[in-house]
Amino acid sequence: MTESYRVSVRALCEFTAKTGDLDLRFTPSPTAREGMEGHLAVARRRGEQYQTEIALSGEYDALTVRGRADGYTPEINRLEEIKTFRGDLELLPENHRALHWAQAKIYGWLMCQREGLETIELALVYFDIVKQQETLVKESFSANDLEAFFKAQCHTFLAWAKQELAHRRARDSAAEGLQFPHPDFRFGQRPLAEAVYRGAATGQCLLAEAPTGIGKTLGTLFPLVKAMPTQQLDKILFLTAKTPGRALALGAIAQLELPELRTLELVARDKSCEHPDKACHGDSCPLAEGFYDRLPEARAEAVREPQLTQSRLRDLALHHGICPYYLSQEMARWSDVVVGDYNYYYDQSAMLYALTTQQQWRTAVLVDEAHNLVERARGMYSAALNQIQFRATKKQAPKALKNPLEKVNRAWNALNRAQPDEEEFVIQAELPEDFNHSLQLATAAITDYLTEHPFALDSDLMQFYFDALQFLRVVELFEPQSFLCDVEWLKPNRGRKGTLVSLRNLIPAEQLKPRFEAAHSTTLFSGTLRPARYYRDLLGLPADTVAMEMPSPFSAEQLRIHTAPDISTRYRDRSASIAPIARLINQQYREMPGNYLAFFSSYQYLQQVLEAVQTEYTALPVWAQNRRMSESARQEFLDTFQENGQGIGFAVLGGVFGEGVDLPGDRLIGAFIATLGLPQVNPVNEALKQRLDEQFGQGYNDTYLYPGLRKVVQAAGRVIRSERDRGVIHLIDDRFRWKQVKDLLPGWWPTSGW
Ligand code: SF4
């Protein structure tokens, strides 16, 4: 039987019928919900006979083309392709319109073929989601002409499809024969690899707590590459919280030495844009001009590259005179492994999630350092607007926008007046409807303005526009049980008062759930994923998620742990704790000179102990983290930790030196951790506690204890980095002896004596 290549109508047309410039002027496009509502609104206006979402398919040589046509009215034999939009339809670029016609014609032929029709009327229905008006462009076609069009498009795509099928065969057979790149697995690495493979085989989610030193990156990537042929995986997505994780993943893939595997590194637009002063369309940016005309050659060359790192992709894109960022977006479709930030899959408008659902990919997702996902996801589904900044921006606005912006300001002032006197921070019982409505009108006015004057707005007003759109998107998602709306008075600026209005996502479970469901399997791994229930509940993981703790390659003999039962670091006891902590640090250093990290819960606390050490123990070498450290200052801080060096580096718990820092051997021989790292008690955290309590019954632990202890374990994890390391950790607070706290510390730590 000949192999068939499945392609959606949309993907086929995007490949064959897109020509000319890249043009993102006709944006912002409606949100997914607005799009769906637009489709429903059109359907409601049609008669009872109107059919929607009609599944159609057709064959051509090795191709199977499938898709769902938007609507069909049998009485008048009209097939509709609905496009929702905002702004001025007149400004829709010609190549976008051509693409829409191509889709309509393909559906038209598939419909004629299915129903045995000789002719059909095709209509493009442009639905303005702001004005709720539709513009209909229609034309009649014969089935013969549509068939010829269908065949021509398929013919253009066929060579590419055959090349893709050949690539898939070669990739899968190379993966089948793939051997682990080292003579042995590291301790703990094999059970991790086996669990990941099982997850891919059963399609289950896996939460893997895997300690430092077992080679997590290779231990998760290797089994998934092996699973590609057996589980017919289309893609592996390796998602990271921070940039260094990307380099580790690319390094691990390079070790596999599998040239048949195409890997792509995705980088944010602001880091890969070649013309940050320009806009993304052909009249402004030379790399957008003729983008789609030059794309086919660049794409054909790019698929021959096994590893499209940021720099390789940039060279290739510039060689072909096209934008590297948008080439990388295109190559995500044709790569086997994509390495990029969490937001490419978990964000509201995440490209890799959208492609997974549209293209029905079988995707295996790896989430590196997954303890970060709760906080990162909260950020993705939150928004805030600052009134003092807004007022300054409003002054610069063009005349046409003064009125809608003034209405926003009035609604904002009314919202402020509704707050109780003297209260700096007020959680709102309901969403501020009038305020939101004024924002809707203002963003619609700015959209209209931008479509006519694409370069006319300054960067502050553009920033307000994007922030307001994000705010409105969060309004759409807002549910009182998992979001918070609050108004906070800002410090007056030159006597002007104003508030910050925030929509905070507290529990991102509902937003992430569809993303876990869309993936064939997801593995979340980190050194600290405890307790699994916390991550399951807050992230919305499926009920059958498997939680595993991998054995550590390190042993209790490598580590000495001291607790300080006489020191309390509770806020009320802080000042009494300063001198004893300074004494403890000095004592430990005298006993065993070397490099140490000392972690504190805040800069203020850090500073107080630092001053005490500098006053009392003048000979002790110290250096400290400060609030605004540049990349080079951070590096300088770390470089001070030299092999056989001596001194104490003061840092903030949960800050940049609290995780992801690797100081093996004598570069770091111990750590002091003052406090349990509990988040501050404030109205937001208290509201979070209440909601978590209502939903999962563990409000205090979920809000304070677990996030705090995660920071402690991460920070302490800097000390032992290999089987040869030896070290000491001082856990400074009497509560470290409590059972519920001890239970959250790694199993291999020597905690039995206290
Ligand atoms: S180079 Fe920059 S401005 Fe030009 S198309 Fe790419 S991202 Fe847009």
Side-chain angles (χ1 to χ4, degrees):
M1 203 178 79
T2 33
E3 252 179 315
S4 161
Y5 187 93
R6 285 178 292 132
V7 62
S8 68
V9 172
R10 182 179 171 149
L12 173 71
C13 295
E14 280 175 353
F15 193 95
T16 57
K18 262 191 166 176
T19 54
D21 296 353
L22 176 90
D23 193 337
L24 296 185
R25 260 177 303 190
F26 203 69
T27 52
S29 44
T31 62
R33 182 159 143 188
E34 286 171 335
M36 257 153 38
E37 284 171 359
H39 278 67
L40 280 176
V42 173
R44 274 197 295 271
R45 294 173 184 192
R46 305 295 185 256
E48 274 187 11
Q49 302 289 313
Y50 192 67
Q51 301 165 9
T52 57
E53 293 276 308
I54 310 129
L56 297 168
S57 75
E59 313 279 329
Y60 178 86
D61 201 312
L63 283 184
T64 302
V65 182
R66 298 191 305 191
R68 288 179 182 274
D70 289 333
Y72 179 65
T73 311
E75 300 104 308
I76 52 170
N77 187 24
R78 182 202 289 160
L79 190 83
E80 295 185 335
E81 178 68 15
I82 303 168
K83 301 289 174 197
T84 50
F85 73 100
R86 340 165 155 250
D88 184 354
L89 187 59
E90 289 297 310
L91 296 168
L92 177 70
E94 200 36 57
N95 58 354
H96 287 211
R97 208 178 282 263
L99 178 68
H100 299 160
W101 269 121
Q103 288 173 3
K105 286 181 180 175
I106 300 281
Y107 282 125
W109 161 244
L110 298 177
M111 193 71 182
C112 287
Q113 189 187 36
R114 192 181 87 169
E115 299 296 316
L117 304 171
E118 285 183 6
T119 60
I120 193 166
E121 186 177 80
L122 300 181
L124 294 180
V125 181
Y126 289 102
F127 186 75
D128 183 328
I129 48 137
V130 178
K131 297 183 184 136
Q132 297 280 302
Q133 281 171 2
E134 55 183 272
T135 307
L136 203 121
V137 196
K138 54 187 181 163
E139 200 176 328
S140 288
F141 291 88
S142 73
N144 285 345
D145 287 351
L146 292 176
E147 183 182 14
F149 182 82
F150 172 78
K151 285 183 171 169
Q153 301 305 305
C154 289
H155 183 75
T156 309
F157 188 67
L158 193 62
W160 182 265
K162 286 186 172 165
Q163 168 279 130
E164 281 294 293
L165 284 170
H167 161 70
R168 179 75 172 239
R169 276 195 301 274
R171 180 199 86 175
D172 284 355
S173 93
E176 255 170 45
L178 179 69
Q179 299 291 323
F180 192 65
H182 302 297
D184 289 310
F185 283 89
R186 285 200 214 165
F187 188 85
Q189 199 176 29
R190 184 186 286 276
L192 174 65
E194 286 170 355
V196 174
Y197 189 86
R198 261 197 314 278
T202 56
Q204 272 172 308
C205 247
L206 171 69
L207 260 176
E209 189 176 76
T212 313
I214 70 170
K216 289 183 279 244
T217 313
L218 192 60
T220 50
L221 274 164
F222 172 74
L224 282 190
V225 175
K226 288 296 290 177
M228 285 191 121
T230 55
Q231 303 308 319
Q232 298 183 354
L233 297 179
D234 294 308
K235 308 277 161 186
I236 297 172
L237 310 181
F238 190 99
L239 306 174
T240 64
K242 298 181 182 119
T243 313
R246 287 207 313 262
L248 284 176
L250 293 168
I253 293 163
Q255 284 179 44
L256 297 179
E257 293 188 17
L258 204 66
E260 296 82 358
L261 189 74
R262 297 178 191 154
T263 303
L264 168 72
E265 178 184 19
L266 281 179
V267 178
R269 183 180 169 278
D270 59 348
K271 298 233 166 63
S272 52
C273 175
E274 292 289 318
H275 297 285
D277 56 327
K278 298 194 165 45
C280 302
H281 57 83
D283 296 340
S284 170
C285 177
L287 299 180
E289 191 191 350
F291 178 92
Y292 291 109
D293 302 331
R294 291 194 290 280
L295 176 63
E297 267 192 38
R299 181 170 51 203
E301 197 181 327
V303 289
R304 291 197 291 273
E305 289 280 336
Q307 204 167 78
L308 281 173
T309 57
Q310 180 187 10
S311 71
R312 183 65 202 111
L313 189 111
R314 176 177 183 267
D315 290 349
L316 204 142
L318 296 184
H319 175 72
H320 289 273
I322 61 173
C323 167
Y325 175 70
Y326 288 102
L327 177 62
S328 76
Q329 305 267 297
E330 170 69 19
M331 295 319 296
R333 294 162 185 266
W334 314 110
S335 300
D336 304 307
V337 184
V338 181
V339 179
D341 187 90
Y342 289 171
N343 61 15
Y344 284 105
Y345 192 76
Y346 292 111
D347 205 347
Q348 288 188 69
S349 51
M351 172 193 62
L352 294 175
Y353 168 62
L355 283 171
T356 296
T357 51
Q358 274 164 24
Q359 313 283 335
Q360 298 176 6
W361 284 342
R362 224 167 141 83
T363 300
V365 180
L366 292 172
V367 186
D368 181 33
E369 301 293 359
H371 59 272
N372 291 299
L373 188 55
V374 174
E375 212 42 52
R376 283 289 310 276
R378 282 178 177 150
M380 292 172 201
Y381 297 93
S382 296
L385 292 170
N386 177 316
Q387 192 178 18
I388 295 181
Q389 280 170 8
F390 165 74
R391 286 217 197 89
T393 303
K394 181 167 70 77
K395 275 196 198 138
Q396 313 300 326
K399 213 165 149 214
L401 296 177
K402 290 270 186 223
N403 201 15
L405 292 177
E406 193 44 53
K407 280 187 182 148
V408 172
N409 200 34
R410 281 205 293 275
W412 209 323
N413 289 337
L415 176 66
N416 295 346
R417 282 194 298 275
Q419 306 309 312
D421 281 349
E422 307 296 324
E423 294 217 21
E424 285 182 359
F425 180 94
V426 188
I427 292 175
Q428 307 297 295
E430 287 172 357
L431 278 177
E433 294 301 341
D434 291 347
F435 176 68
N436 295 345
H437 184 62
S438 71
L439 281 178
Q440 263 156 4
L441 296 177
T443 50
I446 300 176
T447 306
D448 286 349
Y449 188 84
L450 275 175
T451 49
E452 279 163 36
H453 312 88
F455 311 112
L457 297 187
D458 70 13
S459 59
D460 289 345
L461 194 50
M462 283 307 286
Q463 192 54 53
F464 166 73
Y465 175 56
F466 292 133
D467 291 347
L469 288 172
Q470 167 70 359
F471 194 93
L472 292 170
R473 278 194 289 266
V474 180
V475 166
E476 282 191 10
L477 303 169
F478 195 93
E479 296 284 351
Q481 66 270 25
S482 48
F483 286 82
L484 195 69
C485 176
D486 56 74
V487 174
E488 183 180 1
W489 282 100
L490 297 160
K491 258 196 213 135
N493 186 354
R494 294 201 203 113
R496 310 265 345 220
K497 289 170 75 184
T499 57
L500 182 77
V501 185
S502 304
L503 297 176
R504 298 173 205 259
N505 177 273
L506 301 177
I507 307 173
E510 282 307 308
Q511 285 65 50
L512 299 186
K513 227 180 238 170
R515 285 151 171 84
F516 293 117
E517 282 164 6
H520 171 66
S521 71
T522 302
T523 300
L524 302 106
F525 58 100
S526 158
T528 44
L529 281 181
R530 207 178 278 211
R533 183 212 56 77
Y534 169 85
Y535 292 95
R536 214 181 265 157
D537 287 345
L538 270 87
L539 296 174
L541 297 174
D544 63 352
T545 297
V546 176
M548 290 185 75
E549 191 188 329
M550 301 304 151
S552 169
F554 308 145
S555 65
E557 292 77 56
Q558 293 181 254
L559 191 63
R560 274 190 297 128
I561 298 190
H562 298 284
T563 55
D566 300 330
I567 302 179
S568 160
T569 61
R570 292 168 185 83
Y571 194 70
R572 59 170 190 267
D573 301 325
R574 289 267 160 96
S575 49
S577 74
I578 294 168
I581 295 176
R583 203 160 41 242
L584 184 76
I585 291 175
N586 181 56
Q587 210 174 345
Q588 172 65 43
Y589 181 79
R590 295 285 152 226
E591 270 173 34
M592 197 166 75
N595 286 328
Y596 293 84
L597 267 166
F599 290 100
F600 299 86
S601 53
S602 66
Y603 281 102
Q604 196 193 13
Y605 201 7
L606 177 157
Q607 208 53 44
Q608 288 168 332
V609 180
L610 179 66
E611 277 166 21
V613 167
Q614 285 173 318
T615 314
E616 291 292 323
Y617 311 104
T618 45
L620 200 64
V622 288
W623 57 99
Q625 177 182 359
N626 62 50
R627 277 181 211 276
R628 279 171 287 275
M629 269 179 133
S630 62
E631 282 285 333
S632 61
R634 285 182 197 179
Q635 198 50 50
E636 213 173 292
F637 180 95
L638 291 174
D639 289 345
T640 319
F641 292 86
Q642 287 300 319
E643 196 71 33
N644 300 320
Q646 292 185 357
I648 319 286
F650 281 63
V652 169
L653 198 58
V656 286
F657 303 116
E659 62 174 280
V661 167
D662 204 11
L663 298 167
D666 284 348
R667 288 187 69 192
L668 186 74
I669 63 164
F672 305 90
I673 299 170
T675 80
L676 273 71
L678 306 183
Q680 209 186 28
V681 176
N682 60 31
V684 173
N685 283 335
E686 285 296 285
L688 172 63
K689 184 177 98 173
Q690 188 201 347
R691 282 163 175 75
L692 288 167
D693 222 7
E694 283 162 8
Q695 289 183 52
F696 311 119
Q698 292 214 36
Y700 175 80
N701 289 345
D702 287 354
T703 308
Y704 296 104
L705 189 63
Y706 301 151
L709 262 291
R710 177 177 56 66
K711 285 187 264 174
V712 169
V713 174
Q714 279 289 341
R718 304 307 100 211
V719 178
I720 304 294
R721 308 299 292 169
S722 79
E723 280 107 319
R724 288 182 302 281
D725 280 6
R726 294 278 181 277
V728 58
I729 294 171
H730 284 266
L731 299 175
I732 307 172
D733 193 285
D734 58 297
R735 288 165 291 177
F736 278 113
R737 292 188 164 217
W738 291 2
K739 184 175 178 325
Q740 75 263 38
V741 174
K742 268 172 82 171
D743 286 349
L744 295 168
L745 302 177
W748 67 273
W749 281 16
T751 57
S752 53
W754 41 277

